[in-house]
Amino acid sequence: MKRLTDWYAHPRYYEAIFGTDTEREMDFLEGLHRRYGNGGRRWLEPACGAGRLLAEGAKRGLTLVGYDLSERMLAYARKRMRPASSARVSLHQARMEAFCPPQLVGRMDLAFNLVSTFRYLDSEAAALSHLRATARLLSRGGIYVLGFHLTDYARRTPERERWVGHAGGARVVCNTREGAPDRASRSSAMRNRLRVTGPRVDLLIETEWSFRTYSGAQARSLFRRAGLKVLARHDFDYTLDAQAAGDRLDSVFVLAHDPSPSGRATG
Ligand SMILES: C[S@@+](CC[C@H](N)C(=O)[O-])C[C@H]1O[C@@H](n2cnc3c(N)ncnc32)[C@H](O)[C@@H]1O
């Protein structure tokens, strides 16, 4: 068995697990856009990874901008775009903390960032900077759909999840572990193991990182400071008709500019 680190250097195996719900996620985003958005067709995906949602959006006639830190993920995204899609999708290597090109200010009708990627931003300053930058890119009536797992600070034991997928002839088993949260440092230790086995492959890709933690109140306070209001909160089950109940941790926030004096971005 060969041991590797960094699952984002292996987009094919990453997507064998996280790329299986893409059509349903895009249906959900379109549903949210119909309900809360302005109907515009220019969309943005911060931290777009290997571009599965961008490719799906392009197929549906949207014009999209995506960016990511990882050149390996972006290379996979560029390769997967069909000639027809590549005219509709522009890709950039950039960081969530800073992406705000002047030519795109006020031009994005919907931004989306699902699967807890926002939690990579490891400080309040970084998270605030990302939200303010993304808010500047939104057009009038534009929305930011931000999905991430909130933290129950009373949890003392690790949280584990397991998925199984396939890539070509290989079987991919994914185990993630989120350690108990540390309220003082606002972080929890994450570990992901992708075990890939098949006729010509025998790999263990083990990745470790730290995720920032948010209670519901911490998330709402951050959104307020960024000048954003919560129009709705849904669940990771991507059901349009059910809003998330107060005690659910998996949250998809629909955010928009808050024009009220209390929502005006400061600092
Ligand atoms: C969980 S993947 C999500 C990819 C894609 N959004 C999807 O749904 O398939 C997280 C992505 O975030 C990227 N990433 C992590 N930190 C980042 C940062 N500070 N700025 C930009 N991208 C970042 C990683 O390179 C990775 O591609």
Side-chain angles (χ1 to χ4, degrees), residues 94-183:
R95 300 191 66 92
M96 283 189 280
E97 295 88 323
F99 185 80
C100 194
Q103 70 277 16
L104 297 183
V105 168
R107 294 182 57 81
M108 296 290 111
D109 301 310
L110 182 146
F112 60 96
N113 187 346
L114 306 173
V115 296
S116 284
T117 301
F118 176 66
R119 295 181 58 199
Y120 278 107
L121 295 165
D122 62 359
S123 67
E124 199 73 350
L128 203 50
S129 169
H130 170 68
L131 291 176
R132 286 181 177 154
T134 308
R136 277 198 293 280
L137 298 176
L138 292 180
S139 60
R140 200 183 182 82
I143 55 175
Y144 187 18
V145 180
L146 184 60
F148 60 100
H149 188 70
L150 296 172
T151 296
D152 170 11
Y153 286 108
R155 180 171 62 79
R156 290 280 161 264
T157 52
E159 231 172 26
R160 295 171 198 275
E161 285 187 277
R162 181 177 187 275
W163 298 275
V164 179
H166 292 90
R171 181 169 190 263
V172 184
V173 180
C174 172
N175 281 289
T176 63
R177 175 187 187 277
E178 172 161 2
D182 177 356
R183 189 192 279 270

Coordinates of all heavy atoms in Angstrom, one line a residue, residues 94-183:
A94 N -6.8 31.5 -6.7 CA -7.0 32.7 -5.7 C -7.4 32.1 -4.4 O -7.8 31.0 -4.3 CB -8.0 33.7 -6.3
R95 N -7.3 33.0 -3.4 CA -7.7 32.7 -2.0 C -9.1 33.3 -1.7 O -9.4 34.4 -2.1 CB -6.7 33.2 -1.0 CG -5.3 32.7 -1.2 CD -4.4 33.1 0.0 NE -4.9 32.4 1.2 CZ -4.4 31.3 1.6 NH1 -3.4 30.7 0.9 NH2 -4.9 30.7 2.7
M96 N -9.8 32.5 -0.9 CA -11.1 33.0 -0.4 C -11.0 34.4 0.3 O -11.9 35.2 0.3 CB -11.8 32.0 0.5 CG -12.4 30.8 -0.1 SD -13.4 29.8 1.0 CE -12.1 28.9 1.8
E97 N -9.9 34.5 1.1 CA -9.7 35.7 1.9 C -9.6 37.0 1.0 O -9.9 38.1 1.5 CB -8.4 35.7 2.6 CG -8.3 34.6 3.7 CD -7.7 33.3 3.1 OE1 -8.1 32.9 1.9 OE2 -7.0 32.6 3.8
A98 N -9.3 36.9 -0.3 CA -8.9 38.1 -1.0 C -9.6 38.2 -2.4 O -9.5 39.3 -3.0 CB -7.4 38.1 -1.3
F99 N -10.3 37.2 -2.9 CA -10.8 37.3 -4.3 C -11.8 38.4 -4.5 O -13.0 38.2 -4.0 CB -11.3 35.9 -4.7 CG -11.7 35.9 -6.2 CD1 -10.7 35.7 -7.1 CD2 -13.0 36.0 -6.6 CE1 -11.1 35.6 -8.5 CE2 -13.4 36.0 -7.9 CZ -12.4 35.8 -8.9
C100 N -11.5 39.4 -5.2 CA -12.4 40.5 -5.4 C -12.0 41.3 -6.6 O -11.7 42.5 -6.5 CB -12.6 41.4 -4.2 SG -14.0 42.4 -4.3
P101 N -11.9 40.7 -7.8 CA -11.3 41.5 -8.9 C -12.3 42.7 -9.3 O -13.5 42.5 -9.3 CB -11.3 40.5 -10.1 CG -11.7 39.2 -9.5 CD -12.3 39.4 -8.2
P102 N -11.7 43.9 -9.5 CA -12.6 45.1 -9.7 C -13.6 44.9 -10.9 O -14.7 45.4 -10.8 CB -11.5 46.2 -10.1 CG -10.2 45.6 -9.7 CD -10.3 44.2 -9.5
Q103 N -13.2 44.1 -11.9 CA -14.1 44.0 -13.1 C -15.3 43.1 -12.7 O -16.3 43.1 -13.5 CB -13.3 43.5 -14.3 CG -12.9 42.0 -14.2 CD -11.5 41.8 -13.5 OE1 -11.1 42.7 -12.8 NE2 -10.9 40.6 -13.7
L104 N -15.3 42.4 -11.6 CA -16.4 41.6 -11.2 C -17.3 42.2 -10.1 O -18.3 41.7 -9.7 CB -15.9 40.2 -10.8 CG -15.2 39.3 -11.8 CD1 -14.9 38.0 -11.2 CD2 -16.1 39.2 -13.1
V105 N -16.9 43.3 -9.6 CA -17.6 44.0 -8.5 C -19.0 44.3 -8.9 O -19.3 44.8 -10.0 CB -16.9 45.2 -8.0 CG1 -17.8 46.0 -7.0 CG2 -15.6 44.8 -7.3
G106 N -20.0 43.8 -8.1 CA -21.4 44.1 -8.4 C -22.0 43.3 -9.6 O -23.1 43.6 -10.1
R107 N -21.3 42.2 -10.0 CA -21.7 41.5 -11.2 C -22.2 40.1 -11.0 O -22.7 39.4 -11.9 CB -20.6 41.5 -12.2 CG -20.3 43.0 -12.7 CD -19.3 43.0 -13.8 NE -19.6 42.1 -14.9 CZ -20.4 42.5 -16.0 NH1 -21.0 43.6 -15.9 NH2 -20.6 41.6 -17.0
M108 N -22.0 39.5 -9.8 CA -22.3 38.1 -9.5 C -23.8 38.0 -8.9 O -24.0 38.6 -7.9 CB -21.3 37.5 -8.6 CG -19.9 37.4 -9.1 SD -19.8 36.2 -10.5 CE -19.6 37.3 -11.9
D109 N -24.6 37.2 -9.6 CA -26.0 37.1 -9.1 C -26.2 36.1 -8.0 O -27.1 36.3 -7.2 CB -26.9 36.8 -10.3 CG -26.8 37.8 -11.4 OD1 -26.9 39.0 -11.1 OD2 -26.5 37.4 -12.6
L110 N -25.4 35.1 -8.0 CA -25.5 34.1 -6.9 C -24.1 33.6 -6.7 O -23.4 33.2 -7.7 CB -26.4 33.0 -7.3 CG -26.6 31.9 -6.2 CD1 -28.1 31.4 -6.2 CD2 -25.7 30.7 -6.3
A111 N -23.6 33.6 -5.4 CA -22.4 32.9 -5.1 C -22.7 31.7 -4.2 O -23.7 31.7 -3.5 CB -21.4 33.9 -4.3
F112 N -22.0 30.6 -4.4 CA -22.3 29.4 -3.5 C -21.0 28.8 -3.1 O -20.0 28.8 -3.8 CB -23.2 28.4 -4.3 CG -22.6 27.9 -5.6 CD1 -21.9 26.7 -5.6 CD2 -22.7 28.6 -6.8 CE1 -21.3 26.2 -6.8 CE2 -22.1 28.2 -7.9 CZ -21.4 27.0 -8.0
N113 N -21.1 28.3 -1.9 CA -19.9 27.7 -1.2 C -20.4 26.7 -0.2 O -20.9 27.0 0.9 CB -19.1 28.8 -0.5 CG -17.8 28.4 0.0 OD1 -17.5 27.2 0.1 ND2 -17.0 29.4 0.4
L114 N -20.4 25.4 -0.6 CA -21.1 24.4 0.2 C -20.0 23.5 0.9 O -18.9 23.9 1.0 CB -22.0 23.5 -0.7 CG -23.0 24.3 -1.6 CD1 -23.7 23.4 -2.6 CD2 -24.0 25.1 -0.7
V115 N -20.4 22.4 1.5 CA -19.6 21.4 2.1 C -18.5 21.9 3.1 O -17.4 21.4 3.2 CB -19.0 20.4 1.1 CG1 -20.1 19.6 0.4 CG2 -18.1 21.0 0.0
S116 N -18.9 22.9 3.9 CA -18.0 23.4 5.0 C -16.7 24.0 4.6 O -15.8 24.2 5.5 CB -17.8 22.3 6.0 OG -18.9 22.1 6.8
T117 N -16.5 24.3 3.3 CA -15.2 24.8 2.9 C -14.9 26.2 3.6 O -13.7 26.5 3.9 CB -15.3 25.0 1.4 OG1 -15.5 23.8 0.8 CG2 -14.0 25.6 0.8
F118 N -15.9 26.9 3.9 CA -15.8 28.2 4.6 C -15.0 28.0 5.9 O -14.3 28.9 6.3 CB -17.2 28.7 4.9 CG -17.2 30.0 5.7 CD1 -16.8 31.2 5.2 CD2 -17.8 30.0 7.0 CE1 -16.8 32.4 5.9 CE2 -17.9 31.2 7.7 CZ -17.4 32.4 7.2
R119 N -15.1 26.9 6.5 CA -14.4 26.6 7.8 C -12.9 26.5 7.7 O -12.1 26.5 8.7 CB -15.0 25.4 8.5 CG -16.4 25.6 8.9 CD -17.0 24.4 9.6 NE -16.2 24.1 10.8 CZ -16.3 22.9 11.4 NH1 -17.0 21.9 10.9 NH2 -15.6 22.7 12.5
Y120 N -12.4 26.5 6.4 CA -10.9 26.5 6.2 C -10.4 27.9 6.6 O -9.2 28.0 6.9 CB -10.5 26.3 4.8 CG -10.4 24.8 4.4 CD1 -11.4 24.2 3.6 CD2 -9.4 24.0 4.9 CE1 -11.4 22.9 3.3 CE2 -9.3 22.7 4.5 CZ -10.3 22.1 3.7 OH -10.2 20.8 3.4
L121 N -11.2 28.9 6.6 CA -10.7 30.3 7.0 C -10.5 30.3 8.5 O -11.5 30.2 9.2 CB -11.8 31.3 6.5 CG -11.9 31.3 5.0 CD1 -13.2 32.1 4.6 CD2 -10.7 32.0 4.3
D122 N -9.3 30.4 8.9 CA -8.9 30.0 10.2 C -8.9 31.2 11.3 O -8.4 31.0 12.4 CB -7.6 29.3 10.2 CG -6.4 30.2 9.7 OD1 -6.7 31.3 9.4 OD2 -5.3 29.7 9.7
S123 N -9.4 32.3 10.9 CA -9.5 33.4 11.9 C -10.7 34.2 11.6 O -11.3 34.2 10.4 CB -8.2 34.3 11.8 OG -8.2 35.0 10.6
E124 N -11.1 35.0 12.6 CA -12.3 35.9 12.3 C -12.0 36.9 11.2 O -12.8 37.2 10.4 CB -12.6 36.6 13.6 CG -14.0 37.2 13.7 CD -15.1 36.2 13.9 OE1 -14.8 34.9 13.8 OE2 -16.2 36.6 14.2
A125 N -10.7 37.4 11.2 CA -10.3 38.4 10.2 C -10.4 37.8 8.8 O -10.9 38.4 7.8 CB -8.9 38.9 10.5
A126 N -9.9 36.5 8.6 CA -10.0 35.9 7.3 C -11.4 35.6 6.9 O -11.8 35.9 5.7 CB -9.2 34.5 7.4
A127 N -12.2 35.2 7.8 CA -13.6 34.9 7.5 C -14.4 36.2 7.1 O -15.1 36.2 6.1 CB -14.3 34.2 8.6
L128 N -14.1 37.2 7.8 CA -14.8 38.5 7.6 C -14.3 39.1 6.2 O -15.1 39.6 5.4 CB -14.3 39.5 8.7 CG -15.2 40.7 9.0 CD1 -16.7 40.3 9.2 CD2 -14.7 41.3 10.3
S129 N -13.0 38.9 6.0 CA -12.5 39.4 4.7 C -13.1 38.7 3.5 O -13.5 39.3 2.5 CB -11.0 39.2 4.8 OG -10.4 39.5 3.6
H130 N -13.3 37.4 3.7 CA -14.0 36.6 2.6 C -15.4 37.1 2.4 O -15.9 37.3 1.3 CB -13.9 35.1 2.9 CG -14.8 34.3 2.0 ND1 -14.5 34.2 0.7 CD2 -16.0 33.7 2.2 CE1 -15.4 33.4 0.1 NE2 -16.4 33.1 1.0
L131 N -16.1 37.2 3.5 CA -17.6 37.6 3.4 C -17.7 39.0 2.8 O -18.6 39.2 1.9 CB -18.3 37.5 4.7 CG -18.4 36.1 5.3 CD1 -19.0 36.2 6.7 CD2 -19.3 35.2 4.4
R132 N -16.9 39.9 3.2 CA -17.0 41.3 2.7 C -16.6 41.3 1.2 O -17.2 42.0 0.4 CB -16.1 42.2 3.5 CG -16.7 42.5 4.8 CD -15.8 43.5 5.6 NE -16.5 43.8 6.9 CZ -15.8 44.1 8.0 NH1 -14.5 44.2 8.0 NH2 -16.5 44.4 9.1
A133 N -15.6 40.6 0.8 CA -15.1 40.5 -0.6 C -16.2 39.9 -1.4 O -16.6 40.4 -2.5 CB -13.8 39.7 -0.7
T134 N -16.8 38.8 -1.0 CA -17.9 38.2 -1.8 C -19.1 39.1 -1.9 O -19.7 39.2 -2.9 CB -18.2 36.8 -1.2 OG1 -17.0 36.1 -1.0 CG2 -19.1 36.0 -2.1
A135 N -19.4 39.7 -0.8 CA -20.6 40.6 -0.8 C -20.4 41.7 -1.8 O -21.3 42.1 -2.5 CB -20.8 41.2 0.6
R136 N -19.1 42.2 -1.9 CA -18.9 43.3 -2.9 C -19.1 42.8 -4.4 O -19.4 43.6 -5.3 CB -17.4 43.8 -2.8 CG -17.3 44.9 -1.7 CD -16.0 45.7 -1.9 NE -14.8 44.9 -1.7 CZ -14.3 44.6 -0.5 NH1 -14.9 45.0 0.6 NH2 -13.2 43.9 -0.4
L137 N -18.9 41.5 -4.6 CA -19.1 41.0 -5.9 C -20.6 40.8 -6.3 O -20.9 40.6 -7.5 CB -18.3 39.6 -6.0 CG -16.8 39.7 -5.8 CD1 -16.2 38.3 -5.9 CD2 -16.2 40.6 -6.9
L138 N -21.4 40.8 -5.3 CA -22.9 40.5 -5.6 C -23.5 41.6 -6.3 O -23.3 42.8 -6.0 CB -23.6 40.2 -4.3 CG -23.3 38.9 -3.6 CD1 -24.1 38.7 -2.3 CD2 -23.4 37.6 -4.5
S139 N -24.4 41.3 -7.2 CA -25.2 42.3 -7.9 C -26.4 42.7 -7.1 O -26.6 42.1 -6.0 CB -25.7 41.7 -9.3 OG -26.5 40.6 -9.0
R140 N -27.1 43.6 -7.5 CA -28.3 44.1 -6.7 C -29.3 42.9 -6.6 O -29.6 42.2 -7.6 CB -29.0 45.2 -7.5 CG -29.9 46.0 -6.7 CD -30.6 47.0 -7.7 NE -31.5 47.9 -7.0 CZ -31.0 49.0 -6.3 NH1 -29.8 49.3 -6.3 NH2 -31.9 49.7 -5.6
G141 N -29.6 42.5 -5.3 CA -30.5 41.4 -5.1 C -29.8 40.1 -5.2 O -30.5 39.0 -5.1
G142 N -28.5 40.1 -5.3 CA -27.7 38.8 -5.4 C -27.7 38.1 -4.0 O -27.9 38.8 -3.0
I143 N -27.5 36.8 -4.0 CA -27.4 36.1 -2.8 C -26.1 35.3 -2.7 O -25.5 34.9 -3.7 CB -28.6 35.2 -2.6 CG1 -28.8 34.2 -3.8 CG2 -29.9 36.0 -2.3 CD1 -29.9 33.2 -3.5
Y144 N -25.7 35.0 -1.4 CA -24.6 34.1 -1.2 C -25.1 32.9 -0.4 O -25.6 33.0 0.7 CB -23.5 34.8 -0.4 CG -22.2 34.1 -0.2 CD1 -21.9 33.0 -1.0 CD2 -21.3 34.4 0.8 CE1 -20.7 32.3 -0.9 CE2 -20.1 33.7 0.9 CZ -19.8 32.6 0.1 OH -18.6 31.9 0.2
V145 N -25.0 31.7 -1.0 CA -25.5 30.5 -0.4 C -24.2 29.8 0.2 O -23.3 29.3 -0.5 CB -26.1 29.5 -1.5 CG1 -26.6 28.3 -0.8 CG2 -27.3 30.3 -2.2
L146 N -24.2 29.8 1.6 CA -23.0 29.3 2.3 C -23.4 28.2 3.2 O -24.2 28.4 4.1 CB -22.5 30.5 3.1 CG -21.2 30.4 3.9 CD1 -20.1 30.0 3.0 CD2 -20.9 31.7 4.7
G147 N -22.9 27.0 2.9 CA -23.2 25.8 3.7 C -22.1 25.3 4.5 O -21.0 25.0 4.0
F148 N -22.3 25.2 5.8 CA -21.3 24.6 6.7 C -21.9 24.0 8.0 O -23.0 24.4 8.4 CB -20.1 25.6 7.0 CG -20.5 26.9 7.7 CD1 -20.3 27.0 9.0 CD2 -21.0 27.9 7.0 CE1 -20.6 28.2 9.7 CE2 -21.3 29.1 7.6 CZ -21.1 29.2 9.0
H149 N -21.1 23.2 8.6 CA -21.5 22.4 9.7 C -21.2 23.3 11.0 O -20.1 23.7 11.2 CB -20.7 21.1 9.8 CG -21.2 20.2 10.8 ND1 -22.4 19.5 10.8 CD2 -20.5 19.8 12.0 CE1 -22.5 18.7 11.9 NE2 -21.4 18.9 12.6
L150 N -22.2 23.6 11.8 CA -22.0 24.4 13.0 C -21.5 23.4 14.1 O -21.6 22.2 14.0 CB -23.3 25.0 13.4 CG -24.0 26.1 12.5 CD1 -25.3 26.4 13.0 CD2 -23.1 27.3 12.4
T151 N -21.0 24.1 15.1 CA -20.4 23.3 16.2 C -21.2 23.2 17.5 O -21.7 24.3 17.9 CB -19.0 23.9 16.5 OG1 -18.2 23.8 15.3 CG2 -18.3 23.2 17.7
D152 N -21.3 22.1 18.0 CA -21.9 21.9 19.4 C -20.7 21.9 20.3 O -20.0 20.8 20.4 CB -22.7 20.6 19.4 CG -23.1 20.3 20.8 OD1 -22.9 21.1 21.7 OD2 -23.6 19.1 21.0
Y153 N -20.5 23.0 21.1 CA -19.3 23.0 21.9 C -19.3 22.1 23.1 O -18.3 21.8 23.8 CB -19.0 24.5 22.4 CG -18.5 25.4 21.3 CD1 -19.3 26.4 20.8 CD2 -17.2 25.3 20.9 CE1 -18.8 27.2 19.8 CE2 -16.7 26.1 19.9 CZ -17.5 27.1 19.4 OH -17.0 27.9 18.4
A154 N -20.5 21.5 23.4 CA -20.6 20.5 24.5 C -20.1 19.1 24.1 O -19.9 18.3 24.9 CB -22.1 20.4 24.9
R155 N -19.9 19.0 22.8 CA -19.4 17.6 22.3 C -18.0 17.4 22.8 O -17.1 18.2 22.6 CB -19.5 17.6 20.8 CG -19.1 16.3 20.2 CD -19.4 16.2 18.7 NE -18.7 17.2 17.9 CZ -17.4 17.1 17.5 NH1 -16.6 16.1 17.9 NH2 -16.8 18.1 16.8
R156 N -17.8 16.2 23.4 CA -16.5 15.9 24.0 C -15.8 14.7 23.2 O -14.7 14.4 23.5 CB -16.7 15.4 25.5 CG -17.0 16.6 26.4 CD -15.8 17.4 26.7 NE -16.2 18.7 27.2 CZ -16.2 19.8 26.5 NH1 -15.9 19.8 25.2 NH2 -16.6 21.0 27.0
T157 N -16.6 14.1 22.4 CA -16.0 12.9 21.6 C -15.9 13.2 20.1 O -16.6 14.1 19.6 CB -17.0 11.7 21.8 OG1 -18.3 12.1 21.4 CG2 -17.0 11.2 23.2
P158 N -15.0 12.5 19.4 CA -14.9 12.8 18.0 C -16.2 12.4 17.2 O -17.0 11.6 17.7 CB -13.8 11.9 17.6 CG -13.1 11.4 18.8 CD -14.1 11.5 19.9
E159 N -16.4 13.1 16.1 CA -17.5 12.8 15.2 C -17.0 12.2 14.0 O -16.0 12.6 13.5 CB -18.1 14.2 14.8 CG -19.6 14.3 15.0 CD -20.0 15.7 14.7 OE1 -19.4 16.5 13.9 OE2 -21.1 16.1 15.2
R160 N -17.6 11.0 13.6 CA -17.0 10.3 12.5 C -18.1 10.1 11.4 O -19.2 10.0 11.7 CB -16.6 8.9 12.9 CG -15.4 8.9 13.9 CD -15.2 7.5 14.5 NE -14.4 7.6 15.7 CZ -13.1 7.7 15.7 NH1 -12.4 7.6 14.6 NH2 -12.4 7.8 16.9
E161 N -17.6 10.1 10.1 CA -18.5 9.8 9.0 C -17.8 8.9 8.1 O -16.5 9.0 7.9 CB -18.9 11.1 8.3 CG -20.0 11.9 9.1 CD -20.5 13.0 8.3 OE1 -19.9 14.1 8.2 OE2 -21.6 12.9 7.6
R162 N -18.5 8.1 7.4 CA -17.9 7.1 6.4 C -18.7 7.1 5.1 O -20.0 7.0 5.2 CB -17.9 5.7 7.1 CG -17.3 4.6 6.2 CD -17.2 3.3 7.0 NE -16.5 2.3 6.3 CZ -17.0 1.5 5.4 NH1 -18.3 1.6 5.0 NH2 -16.3 0.6 4.8
W163 N -18.1 7.1 4.0 CA -18.7 7.0 2.7 C -18.0 6.0 1.8 O -16.7 5.9 2.0 CB -18.8 8.3 1.9 CG -19.5 9.5 2.6 CD1 -20.8 9.7 2.5 CD2 -18.9 10.5 3.4 NE1 -21.1 10.9 3.2 CE2 -20.0 11.4 3.7 CE3 -17.6 10.8 3.8 CZ2 -19.8 12.5 4.5 CZ3 -17.5 12.0 4.6 CH2 -18.5 12.8 4.9
V164 N -18.7 5.5 0.9 CA -18.0 4.6 -0.1 C -18.3 5.0 -1.5 O -19.5 5.4 -1.8 CB -18.4 3.1 0.1 CG1 -17.8 2.2 -0.9 CG2 -18.1 2.6 1.5
G165 N -17.3 5.1 -2.4 CA -17.6 5.5 -3.7 C -16.7 4.7 -4.7 O -16.0 3.8 -4.2
H166 N -16.8 5.0 -6.0 CA -16.0 4.3 -7.0 C -15.4 5.3 -8.0 O -16.0 6.3 -8.3 CB -16.9 3.3 -7.7 CG -17.3 2.2 -6.8 ND1 -18.5 2.2 -6.1 CD2 -16.7 1.0 -6.5 CE1 -18.5 1.1 -5.3 NE2 -17.5 0.4 -5.6
A167 N -14.1 5.0 -8.4 CA -13.5 5.8 -9.4 C -12.9 4.8 -10.4 O -11.9 4.1 -10.1 CB -12.3 6.6 -8.8
G168 N -13.5 4.7 -11.6 CA -13.1 3.7 -12.6 C -13.3 2.3 -11.9 O -14.4 2.1 -11.3
G169 N -12.3 1.5 -11.9 CA -12.5 0.1 -11.3 C -12.1 0.1 -9.8 O -12.2 -0.9 -9.2
A170 N -11.8 1.3 -9.3 CA -11.3 1.3 -7.9 C -12.4 1.6 -6.9 O -13.4 2.3 -7.2 CB -10.2 2.3 -7.7
R171 N -12.3 1.0 -5.7 CA -13.2 1.3 -4.6 C -12.6 2.3 -3.7 O -11.4 2.2 -3.3 CB -13.5 0.0 -3.9 CG -14.5 0.1 -2.7 CD -14.9 -1.3 -2.3 NE -16.0 -1.3 -1.4 CZ -15.9 -1.3 -0.1 NH1 -14.7 -1.4 0.5 NH2 -17.0 -1.3 0.7
V172 N -13.4 3.4 -3.3 CA -12.8 4.4 -2.5 C -13.6 4.5 -1.2 O -14.8 4.7 -1.2 CB -12.9 5.8 -3.2 CG1 -12.2 6.9 -2.4 CG2 -12.3 5.7 -4.6
V173 N -12.9 4.2 -0.1 CA -13.6 4.3 1.2 C -13.1 5.6 1.9 O -11.9 5.7 2.1 CB -13.4 3.1 2.1 CG1 -14.1 3.2 3.4 CG2 -13.9 1.8 1.3
C174 N -14.0 6.4 2.4 CA -13.6 7.7 3.0 C -14.1 7.7 4.4 O -15.2 7.5 4.7 CB -14.3 8.8 2.2 SG -14.1 10.4 2.9
N175 N -13.1 7.9 5.3 CA -13.5 8.1 6.7 C -13.0 9.5 7.2 O -11.8 9.8 7.1 CB -12.7 7.0 7.6 CG -13.5 5.7 7.5 OD1 -14.5 5.5 8.0 ND2 -12.9 4.8 6.7
T176 N -13.9 10.3 7.7 CA -13.5 11.6 8.3 C -13.7 11.5 9.8 O -14.7 10.9 10.3 CB -14.3 12.8 7.7 OG1 -15.6 12.6 8.0 CG2 -14.1 12.9 6.2
R177 N -12.9 12.3 10.4 CA -13.0 12.4 11.9 C -12.8 13.8 12.3 O -11.8 14.5 11.9 CB -11.9 11.5 12.5 CG -11.8 11.6 14.0 CD -10.5 10.8 14.4 NE -10.3 10.7 15.8 CZ -9.8 11.6 16.6 NH1 -9.4 12.8 16.1 NH2 -9.7 11.3 17.9
E178 N -13.8 14.4 13.0 CA -13.6 15.7 13.5 C -13.5 15.6 15.0 O -14.3 15.1 15.8 CB -14.9 16.6 13.2 CG -14.8 18.0 13.9 CD -15.7 19.0 13.3 OE1 -16.4 18.7 12.3 OE2 -15.7 20.2 13.8
G179 N -12.3 16.1 15.6 CA -12.0 16.0 17.0 C -13.0 16.9 17.8 O -13.7 17.7 17.2
A180 N -12.9 16.7 19.1 CA -13.8 17.6 20.0 C -13.3 19.0 19.8 O -12.2 19.3 19.6 CB -13.6 17.2 21.4
P181 N -14.3 20.0 19.7 CA -14.0 21.4 19.5 C -13.3 22.0 20.6 O -13.5 21.7 21.8 CB -15.4 22.0 19.2 CG -16.3 21.1 20.0 CD -15.8 19.7 19.9
D182 N -12.4 22.9 20.3 CA -11.7 23.7 21.4 C -12.3 25.1 21.3 O -12.0 25.9 20.4 CB -10.2 23.7 21.1 CG -9.5 24.6 22.1 OD1 -10.1 25.2 23.0 OD2 -8.2 24.6 22.0
R183 N -13.1 25.4 22.3 CA -13.9 26.7 22.3 C -12.9 27.9 22.3 O -13.2 28.9 21.7 CB -14.8 26.7 23.5 CG -15.8 27.9 23.5 CD -16.5 28.1 24.8 NE -17.6 27.2 24.9 CZ -18.9 27.5 24.6 NH1 -19.1 28.6 24.0 NH2 -19.9 26.6 24.8

